[in-house]
Amino acid sequence: MNQNFSLLEFLQIPVWIFDIHQKRILWANSAALPLWEAKSTEELTARDLSLDMSEAVDAILDGYLSRFQQGEKIKTWWYFSPNDVIKKALCYFSGMPGPDGNTVMLVEVIAEEASLRRELAFSGSSNLALLFDESGHLISANNSFTHSFGEDLNDLASFLGDAQLADKWLAAARHEGILKAKRLCWTGKSHHWLNIDGKWLTDKHQLLLSLINISQEKEQLHKAKYNAEHDFLTGLLNRRGITNAIVENQHSQHPYSLLFLDIDGFKLVNDTYGHAIGDKLLRAIAIRLQEEVKFKGLLARFGGDEFIVQAEHRNIENSAMFAKQLIKALNRPFHLKEVGELSIGCSIGTSDYPSDAKDIETLVTQADMAMHRAKLRGRNRSHHFSPDMADALYRKMTLRHHLTLALEADAFELYYQPIVDMKSKSLKGFEALIRWHDEELGQVSPGEFIPLAEETGQIVPLGKWILKTACKQLALWREKYGKAFIMSVNLSRAQLQSSLAPTIEGLLNRYQIPPSQLALELTESTMLQEYDEAKQCLDDLASLGIELYLDDFGTGYSSLSQLQDLPISTVKLDQSFVQGEHKGSQAIIEATQAICEKLALKVVAEGVETEAQLRYLQQCRFDFCQGYYLGRPMPAHEHEERNFSLLNTIPDALPQAARQQQELVQ
C-alpha cells in the first residue's frame, strides 16, 4: 500500500484513488472492495477501467480535472459496472497530488443506492452525459444515460426536437465555450425535463452535455403550483390563481367584465346546519356557477362565500345581463340529501377592463365596492362600479384612521343643547352632543363618524369618553350654579353590555351625581336588536335610578307592547314630524302625545325651529321641547358666557321667552 494513502485506510466508508490519465485505481481501502466486486486491493488496482469507458465519461473526467485544479469538489451519483454488475453510488470527487506529481481523483462514497432511500428521488437524476460531434451526431452516451433511457437517441436535433435550435446550440457552444439550459428533451425513449450544462471540447471539436433529470422536480413544482392556485374545497381557481391567469394574459386581453359574487344567506346556513353542510353547499354553488360560466371566462372562489368571474365581452351580451343570469341560476333551490332543499341569494358587483381599471387588483377592489352597494340596495341584485364609490371608500378609510388618532388624543368636544320644561317654563337640562373638528378634515359630522365608530367597534371607548365628560360637566354646573339639571347622553347598541351599569354607577359615585340627573337615550332600533339581552342591560340601568329615553320615536319598528315592556320614562318625538307641514305629521304628533299619556311616559319634541311649532306643541300639552328656536348646541363655556343664569327660568309668555332664549344662544 502506498504510504501516501495509508491514513485513508481507517475511514469506514469506501474510498479509492483514481488516476484519470491512466484510467486505473491506484489504491482502495478495504471498505471499497465489496463495492468493486474485488477480492483484494491488488486485483482491483490491476484492472484497466478504460476498456468499457465511454467517450462521454472520458470527457467528463477530463472536465473534472480542470475543476479540481481550481479547488472544486464534486458531489454526484456515479454509475459503474464492476464485473458487469451495474451499481450507483453517491460520491464526493476531489483532487489531490498523485505519486508522480499529477493530480489524481480521491473518491469518497457517501452511500450506495440501496442504503440511501431518502435520496433515491435524485439517484437517477444526475451523472447523465451525452457527447456529440461538431455536426450534432451522437458519439457516446454514458452508462447512466443508456441504463435509464436506452440507446435509441441518434443526434442533437432529435434530443432537442428542433433541428434549427440544435444548429444554434452548436454555434453558441463553439463561440461561448459553454451553454446552460432547462428544457423538455427527447431521450430516445420518452420526454424528460433536463437541466443541461454544455461544454465545447475545443481540441476534439465535440459538445459534451452533462444532464440532470429534473422531471420529478418539475412535476412537484407543477403540483405545488396547482395547489397554490386552486381552492381545495371546490377545485376552482383561488384568488392567486385567477389573478395570475389574468395577469399572464393581460398583454393580449380582450375587454372583459370582472364580477364579484357574494352569497346572500350563507351565514344562516352555516349557523343552522354547521360548516360541513355549508361546505357541501359551496361545492354545489361552484358546480352551478361552472355550468353558467364555461366557455365565457374564468371562475374562482375568492374566499369564504365569495366568488370571482372574469367574462370577456365577446362571450357575453353585457355584464348586467350576465350577472342577472348568474343570480337567477343561484336562486334555484339546492338539494342536499342531509337537509333537503336550501334557497340562497346572490349579490354581484361588476367592473370593466380596461374602462374602469387596467390592473386586476383595482378591478377586484372596484367590483367588491359595487357588490356592497348591491347589498345596501336590497341584496340579490347586481351593481356596476362608479367612481363615487371609490371616493366614499377613501373618505371612509381616511376617517377611520383619523378617528383612531382622535381617540388617542381625546380630540373631541361635547356641545350641550337645552331641553325646556313646557309646563314649568324652565330649563330641564341638556342633551350632550359630540363634535369633532379635525385639523386636516375640518368639522366632521356625527352622522358620518358615529356610524363608522359603531362599525369598527370604536364606539365603545368613544361612548365611555362621552359619558365621563358629560358627568364631569354636570357635576361642575351643579357645584357652580346649584341647579339639578338633567344631562341626557346618547348610547349605541354596542354599549349595551353587562359592564355598562357598573361603569355608570362608578361615574355617578365619582362625581357625586344623583342617578335621577342622568338620562340615557337610545333609538328604537338600538333597543330592539337582540331584545332580551338589551332589556336586561336596560333593567340594570333603570334599577340605578337612571332615566331612559327612547330617541327618534316614530322612525323605528317598535310595537306598543314592547314600548310598555321596556323600562323607559320618556319618548323623544323625531324632528321630522315636528317640522312636517302636512296633516299627517300633526296626526302623529297628537297620537304620540295621547299614547304616551296613557302609558305614563313623558314626551320631548325635538327639532323646534319656529314659534308656530312651539305654540302648536304647547297646545298639544307636550312636556318638554328642544330645538334651535329654544337653543342651539354650544360648548359649556359659551353657555356660561351668555349669562347661563338666564337659562334657568322661562317666563309665562313662552314665545317671547323663546325668542330671548334664541338671542342668548346665537
Side-chain angles (χ1 to χ4, degrees):
M1 176 171 50
N2 192 308
Q3 294 301 313
N4 292 332
F5 310 136
S6 59
L7 293 177
L8 300 176
E9 175 63 36
F10 300 102
L11 294 176
Q12 299 299 310
I13 59 174
V15 178
W16 61 88
I17 306 296
F18 183 74
D19 188 324
I20 294 176
H21 297 290
Q22 298 182 23
K23 308 298 186 293
R24 292 180 181 275
I25 292 177
L26 301 179
W27 172 87
N29 68 354
S30 301
L33 298 181
L35 194 61
W36 278 99
E37 301 289 329
K39 296 179 181 180
S40 66
T41 304
E42 291 73 19
E43 178 197 340
L44 180 58
T45 56
R47 295 179 185 177
D48 182 358
L49 300 182
S50 66
L51 297 178
D52 59 351
M53 182 176 292
S54 66
E55 292 185 58
V57 172
D58 191 13
I60 289 175
L61 292 175
D62 286 342
Y64 285 176
L65 270 179
S66 300
R67 294 170 66 179
F68 294 155
Q69 289 165 1
Q70 296 174 13
E72 287 188 47
K73 292 186 177 182
I74 300 164
K75 179 184 178 182
T76 185
W77 282 92
W78 193 261
Y79 275 78
F80 56 104
S81 51
N83 297 336
D84 297 324
V85 178
I86 296 177
K87 296 186 177 184
K88 287 183 285 187
L90 185 60
C91 303
Y92 262 127
F93 296 157
S94 58
M96 64 181 296
D100 57 0
N102 291 328
T103 299
V104 295
M105 184 169 72
L106 171 64
V107 181
E108 303 169 70
V109 176
I110 299 172
E112 295 179 64
E113 178 187 22
S115 64
L116 199 59
R117 298 300 180 187
R118 64 187 179 86
E119 294 209 36
L120 282 181
F122 307 99
S123 65
S125 66
S126 61
N127 194 32
L128 306 173
L130 296 174
L131 187 64
F132 298 93
D133 66 18
E134 58 185 341
S135 299
H137 295 107
L138 181 64
I139 298 172
S140 172
N142 69 345
N143 289 341
S144 177
F145 187 94
T146 56
H147 177 74
S148 300
F149 307 118
E151 301 178 356
D152 295 331
L153 185 65
N154 295 316
D155 50 45
L156 185 60
S158 300
F159 179 67
L160 298 177
D162 187 328
Q164 291 184 343
L165 181 61
D167 291 338
K168 289 181 180 179
W169 275 35
L170 289 167
R174 276 193 293 266
H175 183 262
E176 302 291 338
I178 60 172
L179 60 84
K180 293 180 179 294
K182 287 185 180 180
R183 184 174 174 82
L184 185 65
C185 298
W186 174 251
T187 63
K189 181 180 181 181
S190 54
H191 282 95
H192 289 271
W193 277 95
L194 300 171
N195 188 35
I196 304 170
D197 278 307
K199 180 179 181 182
W200 183 254
L201 307 180
T202 306
D203 55 337
K204 298 180 180 179
H205 300 285
Q206 295 172 342
L207 174 63
L208 174 66
L209 299 184
S210 298
L211 315 173
I212 298 177
N213 187 351
I214 57 172
S215 295
Q216 187 173 8
E217 176 187 336
K218 278 284 185 179
E219 183 180 344
Q220 290 172 346
L221 288 173
H222 178 77
K223 186 176 181 180
K225 184 175 186 293
Y226 181 89
N227 290 337
E229 295 185 345
H230 287 76
D231 173 52
F232 75 97
L233 180 65
T234 62
L236 300 178
L237 289 170
N238 60 16
R239 179 175 185 166
R240 176 189 291 181
I242 195 168
T243 299
N244 290 346
I246 293 174
V247 169
E248 287 173 6
N249 297 320
Q250 196 89 318
H251 63 282
S252 60
Q253 194 63 258
H254 295 279
Y256 65 81
S257 289
L258 195 78
L259 290 79
F260 196 111
L261 290 74
D262 184 89
I263 306 303
D264 298 328
F266 180 75
K267 184 178 184 300
L268 181 61
V269 173
N270 256 354
D271 292 345
T272 304
Y273 299 108
H275 290 281
I277 296 299
D279 288 348
K280 288 189 176 183
L281 178 59
L282 285 173
R283 284 192 287 267
I285 291 170
I287 291 171
R288 193 169 293 182
L289 286 174
Q290 281 179 308
E291 293 173 354
E292 300 295 328
V293 175
K294 64 181 178 182
F295 308 127
K296 296 184 175 106
L298 299 173
L299 170 65
R301 182 186 175 204
F302 205 63
D305 60 347
E306 296 173 337
F307 295 83
I308 289 282
V309 176
Q310 181 227 23
E312 292 190 359
H313 288 171
R314 59 182 178 174
N315 297 330
I316 60 174
E317 186 173 346
N318 60 64
S319 61
M321 291 295 295
F322 185 52
K324 187 177 291 187
Q325 177 184 334
L326 296 179
I327 292 171
K328 183 179 179 181
L330 293 183
N331 282 167
R332 299 198 310 268
F334 289 86
H335 183 82
L336 303 180
K337 69 176 183 178
E338 293 87 352
V339 297
E341 287 194 344
L342 292 174
S343 294
I344 58 168
C346 174
S347 297
I348 300 178
T350 63
S351 59
D352 288 341
Y353 168 87
S355 56
D356 290 322
K358 293 184 178 180
D359 63 281
I360 179 64
E361 292 83 4
T362 303
L363 287 167
V364 169
T365 301
Q366 292 174 343
D368 188 18
M369 291 183 208
M371 181 273 292
H372 282 94
R373 185 68 61 90
K375 282 188 176 291
L376 288 174
R377 294 194 170 188
R379 299 174 181 264
N380 212 38
R381 62 180 62 202
S382 69
H383 195 85
H384 190 81
F385 168 78
S386 58
D388 66 286
M389 297 180 195
D391 296 339
L393 182 63
Y394 178 77
R395 171 72 175 178
K396 186 175 181 180
M397 292 175 62
T398 303
L399 273 180
R400 179 170 184 171
H401 174 64
H402 284 253
L403 185 59
T404 300
L405 298 178
L407 278 169
E408 294 174 353
D410 284 344
F412 300 97
E413 186 178 10
L414 285 189
Y415 279 35
Y416 303 92
Q417 184 172 30
I419 301 175
V420 176
D421 187 326
M422 300 285 284
K423 294 178 180 177
S424 67
K425 314 294 192 297
S426 64
L427 181 67
K428 178 188 181 184
F430 299 89
E431 179 181 358
L433 299 167
I434 190 168
R435 295 293 183 264
W436 176 26
H437 182 274
D438 184 87
E439 291 184 3
E440 181 179 331
L441 303 175
Q443 197 69 31
V444 185
S445 166
E448 185 176 20
F449 73 81
I450 291 295
L452 177 61
E454 290 178 329
E455 180 183 327
T456 61
Q458 293 170 306
I459 192 64
V460 175
L462 184 60
K464 287 182 179 179
W465 179 88
I466 294 172
L467 278 167
K468 178 183 176 182
T469 305
C471 288
K472 183 178 180 180
Q473 186 61 60
L474 184 60
L476 290 173
W477 279 341
R478 185 181 183 205
E479 181 181 353
K480 187 172 184 178
Y481 298 104
K483 300 295 183 180
F485 298 132
I486 289 181
M487 182 71 75
S488 70
V489 178
N490 292 278
L491 285 186
S492 166
R493 174 65 185 86
Q495 293 175 265
L496 296 184
Q497 302 171 356
S498 59
S499 60
L500 181 61
T503 298
I504 292 179
E505 185 177 17
L507 290 172
L508 296 176
N509 293 333
R510 177 178 178 180
Y511 295 108
Q512 296 297 299
I513 298 171
S516 59
Q517 284 187 247
L518 181 63
L520 301 176
E521 299 189 16
L522 298 101
T523 62
E524 293 177 272
S525 57
T526 297
M527 282 191 177
L528 298 174
Q529 293 173 14
E530 300 178 10
Y531 178 77
D532 292 339
E533 182 182 347
K535 185 177 184 303
Q536 181 59 55
C537 183
L538 297 178
D539 287 339
D540 294 341
L541 293 170
S543 67
L544 296 176
I546 295 172
E547 286 204 50
L548 297 176
Y549 290 3
L550 186 59
D551 197 13
D552 299 337
F553 183 76
T555 61
Y557 306 95
S558 59
S559 66
L560 294 180
S561 62
Q562 288 172 322
L563 283 177
Q564 191 174 19
D565 189 39
L566 291 170
I568 61 174
S569 62
T570 303
V571 168
K572 298 188 74 174
L573 181 65
D574 186 71
Q575 62 180 356
S576 61
F577 302 112
V578 174
Q579 296 169 6
E581 298 181 356
H582 44 77
K583 292 183 179 180
S585 295
Q586 293 184 353
I588 292 174
I589 290 173
E590 294 172 12
T592 300
Q593 169 60 25
I595 290 170
C596 290
E597 188 174 355
K598 290 293 184 181
L599 295 175
L601 299 173
K602 291 169 283 189
V603 188
V604 178
E606 295 183 290
V608 180
E609 295 185 346
T610 66
E611 181 179 338
Q613 292 169 359
L614 187 64
R615 285 185 180 277
Y616 177 68
L617 293 169
Q618 187 180 21
Q619 292 172 9
C620 293
R621 304 188 308 279
F622 266 63
D623 301 300
F624 309 101
C625 289
Q626 75 180 93
Y628 282 8
Y629 187 68
L630 298 169
R632 292 175 178 269
M634 292 188 298
H637 69 87
E638 288 193 29
H639 280 299
E640 297 174 9
E641 290 168 1
R642 294 173 184 269
N643 198 355
F644 190 93
S645 60
L646 293 179
L647 289 173
N648 297 337
T649 302
I650 294 181
D652 291 337
L654 188 59
Q656 180 182 355
R659 285 193 294 274
Q660 181 185 16
Q661 174 75 3
Q662 189 178 31
E663 292 172 2
L664 285 171
V665 298
Q666 287 178 341

